[in-house]
């Protein structure tokens, strides 16, 4: 089975009933992942989906791959251990805004800086779905929910900014309704050697319907988002007639009627992270929100370095020998007693 | 080497304690004495005692660091109760340790350090050298600092700080002379250690020799003592701490299974040294992961176990608390995993550098829902080696996490270890399932009748794709199931498979008569003192038996029967009666359990146990079970 | 309202279950039926049952949501065993619930939903309406969807989705007719709920009335049932769930102490509703903090307690696991705190929306070191109110964290609550120390002899500056101390002060004879079914007694004596025998404990307990303690 | 005692022996805090020091104020609860690089975004001191320690960048040897209403001696660091003859001989966080490391908003009345039974 049989979407559909609410954005993401994985040329048995707890975290059950639905917030370390154990696997972490950024926040930042070769997909619906609708770390300030009847008081986390603040090597954003874009981003994430972090704006029809409508509705999307392309200036709008220019460190919207393309901010995935951070600060409604790959650089991945150290150690000391190991410090011999 | 001026006396065992400031190198001095004695052929047992601060202010009680060695021509099991000899580098060291010294014991102290300032720092209002405090001891006053300076002044090119740092070797030299030890082991060590700093090497060697010569030349000691080599089982030996033994055992288990070893851990006293040791063994394909916290460490271990390698996570009590949710996931997933708890004084941060056995109930019960996990506890530092291997045998057999319950005393104590031949250690055989036959559906949670475990199917195997999860499960398929019957069945199966490990756990043995008035039941690190105390009482002609438990969950099959033969069962523990608690449940028909509790961050002494057990032998307790 | 076409029958109690898709509004329908019955004067008890998915695909078994109401003219203690009436909105609802229905029971179902597609989704290969599956029930086939559409078509301006959403009120109307309930309570509710959407209000009211009229006009029901008001204790009543009762109790405790209430929590089923409720009570100076995780929640509660206000943290089993390190800190600091564990099915994620009692050993022992914490368990939803207040009384008395052990069943079940007069609830008196006299040194850990607690001195008070910490302590001063004696003393003092709470805990009572053959001991939410089952057996003339425990640590003083009067002690629990375990230790002289275990995520039914207890009364168990 | 008695350094010295290693950088920080607190005009009993576990976390014992030495990594939530309970207190969180950024990382980022009015002092010694010298999340890659004998593999976290990634409102950096600077920064931190985060480069003489020598040694400091001053250009060097200019988004060193001051990067504490992030990326040895206040903005603090909601609720509903509360939902009366 590990010969290169051409895999299809169907190969990735498990026999378990999908149990999300009708209309949930999770369906589109599932479908897109099932579409992208067969395109990677990786045998099916090499894929592992690891998730935490949340609506989104039921994902592995629906994929006919290896998988683990673990505990809340802990998918990142579990996936890290798995990848260290077997770097051959293609490991995907499926998580939610609560799972990754609330209870799992510590693992999230440490995964970023370690740069383990994993792919994280964060289903950001700005709400706790599975526990029936409390505000999450990405909920907008003022959001009224069951646990914030007078409005949430907390400044939301910006997942992209946090990832960049934590030394992420691959950071991207897409939306549940833009299938083509999601597909492209997922392909790039899969190709990146190191931690690939993808935030997906996902609609929760039940508890936070329409929270990202400005970016998910195709008509509004073109006005309220801008697609990042490496080496290209930031242009957006239905007629692609608007661009982003830097005024000092402040991005501003300019009309291409009056400003030339060459004066626009040009995207560079491999630039210093200051650019990626700056882009993360472009927020609706003041500015169009960037979509696509914010940053992509490739220092060696963590598990690779672990393996390199193992190799180096073997090179230096030879393959471990238990006998030698036991005798590695001062030893002494107690001779056979000669009874007399 | 014989010295005409001194008389020799043969003694069976001596307990010596080195004490000084945290920066005085007492741990090193003690270690050197130990190594020399071990190589010389004595049986040895050591116990370091240091503060939880790294280097508290010089000269204060808080900063005193000590190291105790028991060395003997006979079999010994503990670092000894009261030291016979105390080497005190300053007033604080004297003050902190004097109470422990045996009445009439020997004190060697550095008079140069007994300045007004140092006396004050140590909290002495009068100079103990002058006010009769030490009149009932054999006091040897040595101006160590100045003697050492004089000895080293020839070398040149050394700062006075560097010179003073050699003081400990001067002191070591004196003790070497006093106990007639050869210098060569330490000479060799110094040479290797300071290979790149020949001046420092020369200085330390000179100090050592000068101390030795001082003993020889200055007639402050009437007698030299001679401790013959012990009659140890023949073979190769080395010194080992419990933590090192765990590390070696884990690597051995992995090698014996043809597996990579994964160790995920967040540093914590007194478990960190396991991580440090394993980090140096990368050439055994050991992959260490210093996690961001304990939750990540157990998570990574679960991931590694899923990945099909030998996964271990180690910590102390506070870390176990944090890991309990993860451990519970491993219980539910049914993945093999070893979890080490090196217990320390609690609750909370408690006494982080001291020992205790009060995590037993936590590892047994500290998880939500019904969550059975096997537990094994090593008895001695070198037993840690065997327990590490045994833990993996149980883990892969029942497909379950397994606890190893060590403690701060085992972790840091040393004893000689009879080095095994690795080829004599039986392999651990694991068969991972491969592609299933086309007719049968792969059932990840199908039980193996002999063990009630499941198969260990690992990602990367074509055709076995499956999902594990923490939700309640359908038997065999492992699919999510909210069916009440499924949940109850799976809960019972998990309990049964752990209980079934008793099939392969050796029956409990005891020393002493198999029935009678008094049985002592111990577990874990108290082994040495309990066994020694029982031996003392038996030698006195008392009728007393001793069973030491290594398997705490499940218990050996014969335990209730074995216990039922005795009128009273005494359980000495470094807690408020946790094992006694479990025994009471497990051995329901026995009613007269008696606790001996200690919560002082220190192991039992043989003496206190002899007294307490002796008292019980005189005055039998009422058989009404009201003794807890 | 009397209907000439139907005959009336007086019945004592009816159990009705509404079942449909997660989106069908069954919880709401059940709640409306409950409210009406409560206001009508029946005793009531309800139990919702929903899947852990929010809204699994329409029409599937996974998506079925149910709500059961027991309403009666007599005192009732549980939501009832088998429903007498099942309202099924679709084939999946029928399939998922049919097994529970009493033989011969009444089924009202929506025939419009029995389409080929829906039958398939529910896993029916044949139409149960046609294949005789339902022949032993009283089946009422109602084309609910179309009837409802017809009834609402006049209104206009409603989407067909909006119209179909009113179906549940149509069904409710039918049941109101069948059980002769007034409509006004629901009319009022609809009016208030949809005050801003008058069209929707009108639609729901119309549907309700139409359903009622349908019952009246269409002669499918031969009989209408009449359930008289119950003889409840006079006074004001409301319906209450355990979670709401906890929230109200906590606020009451704080008000009675003149304190601000702090609630720190991370959402988790089935505890989240406590947070939701408290978040609406800010006008009581309730400060809720939705933390980033459970560790932060307990941490913030500790900080708030240090700050001198009433601090609470609530969660379920997985959250307790994460909080255990923090709880241990609170134990060490000796700060008053209430920790709520609303237990759910475990281990791991287990059965998150179902009930279980398997966290008892975790809350008792799940911390490293010796870490005693008092535990109280409410018996019924309304008892949660009293327990919340009681928990604070204990916490401030002994200066300790206190556990409340609730569960998913109590959390979501409702019963009528006899509303107390807040003025009758005794105040909680706390004296925070103020500036000490100039002669005495302030001793933060000085014990109050009567309670062994310490004083609650709070930041901001001039002259009492002091430091708390997790390291081992000197008695009285609380200064860090590594002295072995101090550590042992403080450990024992912490244990003693918790044990000493027994001074103020009421003695254990029982119903039935005070000695005899069989005592049933229960705790927590099993109260209702156990008490009901015992009543049934007593009514049959059997000699059986029942003691229900609310105080689990420490136990009431007289418990061992009380238990010793019985030959056999049976302990029914929703776990594998955890309370039995603790009882065995605590009541050492008693040997014949018998477990009744259930791990199905569901409460005991009265019937199964009557059977099991009845069997024990017939065949006494051997008195050898081997029954665990 | 709460009258305005003039407090002095001595009032803040506790009776407990300070137990750090001789030469540890912690001493200087303790002394400086003891010097600054009396200057704040706050009564002594209002100060509370809350710490986690680590060498640095022993701090509260040495301060004659209220204090808590808690558990590893959890000082932030404890201080949050305390401040919510009593907003009148001046609460200081004392933490280490391991305590705050390793085990405590999640609380750290959530504290930043919540903006509770606390002052955090992070003693960054790039090592775990108390557990005897393992690498920490701020240790440089390649550092050989007990747990990384072949060198640490992890990209270090940049505490300033992480804080900014997590929406921090006050971020500053100083060093243990520069007492005056430390004092100024601490004063500013105390003045800020909201979470003030101060990173202090601290020397661990035992396990990581000299790790920050370039910034702590007074002679090297002037060359390798640049002091941030609001509204002023970035100028540094012994002779203040070098400056920082932006080349696009890349800071570069220029000589003031050739470049005019007006072309230099001008610091602005209240600018968009992109500037603060960019400054956080200036790292030795490529660039001088900025010292001082990176960012200072003042949205309302979390506990203030909680109190505001309480006030609003009382305004709307009146002060809570238990009787009303119990009767808040539908109730019914069971009448006194008239026996007859
Ligand atoms: C330790 C623990 N705490 C809390 C929970 C309850 N819980 C489950 S999912 C969840 C949040 C889900 O939110 P998110 O990650 O955004 O996922 P979504 O449901 O929105 O996809 C919470 C709080 C849990 N399962 N375990
Ligand atoms: C739960 C838990 N895990 C681990 C530890 C062990 N531990 C104590 S301090 C520390 C790290 C200290 O490093 P840092 O915060 O940088 O402080 P420093 O000692 O360097 O000042 C660790 C790992 C602990 N006390 N508790
Ligand atoms: S609750 Fe929201 S996120 Fe969860 S399945 Fe339903 S729509 Fe999706
Ligand atoms: S170990 Fe390092 S950080 Fe800790 S007290 Fe000593 S010098 Fe300071
Ligand atoms: Mg979410
Ligand atoms: Mg540090």
């Amino acid at each position: 089975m590990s010969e290169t049989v051409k895999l299809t979407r169907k190969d990735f559909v498990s026999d378990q009933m999908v149990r999300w609410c009708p209309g949930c954005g999770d369906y589109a993401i599932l479908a897109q992942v099932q579409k992208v994985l067969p395109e990677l040329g990786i045998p099916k048995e090499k894929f592992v989906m690891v998730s935490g707890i949340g609506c989104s975290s039921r994902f592995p059950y629906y994929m006919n791959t290896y998988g683990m639905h673990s505990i809340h917030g802990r998918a990142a370390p579990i996936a890290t251990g798995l990848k260290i154990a077997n770097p051959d696997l293609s490991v995907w972490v499926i998580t939610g805004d609560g799972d990754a950024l609330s209870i799992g926040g510590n693992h999230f930042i440490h995964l970023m800086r370690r740069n383990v070769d994993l792919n994280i997909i964060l289903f950001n619906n700005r709400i706790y779905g599975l526990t029936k609708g409390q505000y999450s770390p990405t909920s907008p300030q003022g959001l009224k929910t069951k646990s914030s009847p007078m409005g949430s008081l907390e400044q939301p986390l910006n997942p992209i900014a946090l990832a960049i603040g934590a030394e992420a090597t691959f950071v991207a954003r897409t939306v549940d309704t833009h299938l083509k874009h999601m597909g492209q981003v997922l392909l790039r994430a899969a190709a990146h050697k190191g931690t690939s972090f993808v935030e997906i704006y996902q609609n929760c029809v039940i508890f936070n319907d329409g929270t990202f409508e400005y970016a998910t509705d195709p008509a509004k999307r073109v006005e309220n988002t801008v697609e990042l392309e490496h080496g290209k200036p930031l242009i957006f709008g239905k007629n692609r007639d608007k661009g982003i220019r830097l005024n000092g460190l402040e991005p501003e919207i300019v009309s291409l009627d009056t400003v030339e393309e060459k004066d626009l901010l040009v995207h560079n995935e491999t630039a210093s992270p200051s650019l990626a951070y700056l882009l993360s600060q472009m927020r609706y409604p003041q500015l169009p929100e960037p979509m696509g790959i914010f940053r992509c650089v490739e220092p060696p991945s963590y598990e690779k370095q672990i393996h390199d150290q193992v190799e180096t150690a073997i090179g230096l000391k030879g393959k471990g020998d238990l006998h030698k190991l036991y005798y590695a410090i001062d030893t002494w011999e107690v001779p056979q007693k000669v009874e007399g | 080497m014989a010295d005409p001026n001194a008389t020799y006396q043969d003694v069976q065992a001596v307990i010596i304690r080195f004490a000084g400031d945290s920066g005085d190198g007492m741990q090193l001095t003690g270690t050197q004495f130990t190594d020399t004695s071990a190589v010389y052929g004595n049986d040895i047992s050591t116990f370091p005692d240091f503060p939880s601060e790294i280097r508290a202010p010089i000269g204060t009680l808080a900063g005193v660091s000590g190291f105790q060695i028991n060395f003997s021509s006979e079999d010994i099991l503990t670092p000894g109760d009261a030291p016979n000899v105390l080497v005190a580098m300053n007033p604080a060291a004297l003050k902190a340790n004097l109470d422990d010294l045996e009445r009439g014991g020997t004190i060697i102290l550095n008079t140069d350090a007994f300045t007004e300032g140092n006396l004050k720092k140590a909290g002495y209002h009068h100079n103990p050298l002058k006010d009769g405090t030490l009149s009932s001891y054999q006091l040897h006053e040595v101006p160590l600092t100045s003697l050492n300076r004089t000895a080293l002044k020839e070398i040149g090119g050394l700062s006075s700080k560097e010179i003073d740092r050699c003081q400990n070797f001067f002191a070591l030299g004196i003790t070497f002379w006093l106990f007639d030890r050869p210098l060569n082991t330490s000479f060799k060590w110094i040479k290797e250690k300071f290979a790149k700093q020949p001046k420092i090497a020369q200085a330390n060697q000179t100090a050592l020799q000068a101390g030795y010569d001082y003993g020889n030349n200055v007639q402050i000691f009437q007698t030299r003592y001679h401790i013959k080599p012990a009659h140890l089982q023949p073979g190769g030996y080395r010194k080992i701490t419990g933590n090192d033994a765990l590390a070696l055992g884990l690597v051995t288990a992995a090698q014996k299974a043809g597996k990579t070893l994964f160790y995920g851990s967040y540093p914590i006293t007194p478990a960190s040294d396991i991580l440090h040791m394993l980090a140096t063994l990368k050439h055994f394909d050991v992959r260490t992961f210093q996690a961001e916290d304990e939750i990540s460490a157990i998570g990574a271990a679960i991931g590694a176990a899923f990945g099909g390698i030998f996964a271990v996570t180690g910590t102390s009590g506070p870390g176990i608390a944090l890991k309990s949710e993860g451990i519970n996931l491993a219980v539910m997933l049914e993945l093999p995993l070893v979890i080490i708890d090196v217990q320390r004084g609690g609750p909370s941060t408690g006494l982080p550098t001291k020992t205790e056995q009060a995590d037993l109930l936590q590892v047994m019960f500290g998880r939500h829902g019904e969550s059975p996990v096997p537990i094994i506890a090593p008895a001695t530092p070198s037993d840690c080696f065997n327990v590490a291997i045994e833990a993996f045998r149980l883990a892969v057999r029942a497909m379950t996490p397994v606890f190893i319950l060590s403690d701060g005393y085992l972790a840091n104590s040393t004893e000689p270890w009879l080095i095994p031949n690795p080829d004599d250690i039986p392999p651990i055989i694991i068969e991972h399932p491969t592609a299933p036959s086309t007719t049968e559906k792969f059932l990840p949670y199908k039980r193996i009748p002999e063990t009630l475990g499941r198969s260990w199917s690992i990602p990367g195997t074509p055709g076995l794709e499956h999902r594990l999860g923490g939700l309640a499960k359908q038997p065999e398929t492992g699919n999510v199931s909210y069916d009440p019957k499924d949940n109850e069945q799976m809960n019972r199966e998990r309990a049964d498979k752990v209980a079934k490990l008793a099939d392969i756990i050796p029956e409990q043995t005891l020393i002493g008569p198999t029935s009678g008035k008094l049985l002592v039941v111990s577990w874990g690190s108290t082994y040495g003192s309990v066994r020694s105390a029982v031996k003392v009482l038996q030698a006195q002609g008392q009728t007393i038996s001793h069973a030491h438990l290594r398997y705490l969950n499940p218990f050996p099959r014969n335990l209730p029967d074995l216990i039922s033969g005795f009128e009273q069962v005494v359980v000495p523990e470094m807690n408020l009666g946790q094992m006694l608690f479990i025994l009471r449940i497990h051995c329901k028909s026995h009613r007269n359990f008696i606790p001996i509790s200690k919560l002082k961050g220190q192991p039992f002494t043989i003496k206190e146990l002899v007294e307490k057990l002796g008292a019980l032998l005189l005055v039998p307790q009422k058989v009404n079970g009201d003794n807890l």
Side-chain angles (χ1 to χ4, degrees), chain B residues 185-239:
Chain B
T185 307
S186 287
F187 276 152
K188 194 175 139 224
W189 180 88
I190 293 169
K191 210 174 129 191
E192 282 167 15
K193 171 81 184 172
F194 300 107
K196 288 187 187 145
Q197 298 154 282
K199 277 263 173 230
I200 303 283
Q202 191 193 343
N204 279 305
Q205 288 180 340
T206 309
L208 182 67
Q209 185 69 54
Y212 192 92
D213 295 347
Y214 173 84
N216 212 6
N217 302 333
V218 184
Q219 320 222 335
I220 58 167
F221 301 101
Q222 266 73 50
T223 328
R224 291 178 79 180
Y225 300 91
H226 202 101
I227 298 91
K228 294 218 190 79
H231 301 291
L232 297 170
Q233 214 182 310
Y237 279 85
R238 58 173 280 183
K239 207 184 47 169

Side-chain angles (χ1 to χ4, degrees), chain A residues 30-41:
Chain A
L30 175 63
Q32 207 55 25
V33 170
Q34 287 170 334
K35 186 166 167 290
V36 165
L37 296 198
E39 295 174 24
L40 299 177

Side-chain angles (χ1 to χ4, degrees), chain A residues 19-21 23-26 55 125 129-130 202-207:
Chain A
R19 295 185 179 184
W20 289 309
C21 303
C24 177
D26 293 358
C55 292
N125 57 11
L130 193 65
Q202 173 247 322
N203 194 35
C204 169
V205 277
I206 304 292
F207 298 113

Side-chain angles (χ1 to χ4, degrees), chain B residues 341-416:
Chain B
D341 180 358
V342 187
Q343 300 164 95
R344 62 189 216 182
S348 199
T349 310
L351 292 170
T353 57
K354 313 277 173 185
T355 195
E356 203 172 272
Q357 295 184 299
D359 293 358
L360 174 59
L361 292 174
Q362 173 178 236
V363 301
M364 190 90 180
F365 299 122
R367 294 168 297 281
H368 61 282
E370 296 288 348
S371 178
V373 177
I375 309 167
I376 335 182
T380 65
S382 56
D383 190 34
C384 288
F385 177 82
N386 309 314
V387 160
I389 300 171
E390 188 65 4
F392 263 117
R393 270 188 218 285
L394 301 187
V396 296
R397 182 180 168 93
M399 287 292 284
T400 176
V402 171
F403 273 111
I404 295 177
L405 209 48
S406 178
D407 64 27
Y409 169 74
L410 291 176
N412 293 314
S413 295
T414 56
E415 62 170 9

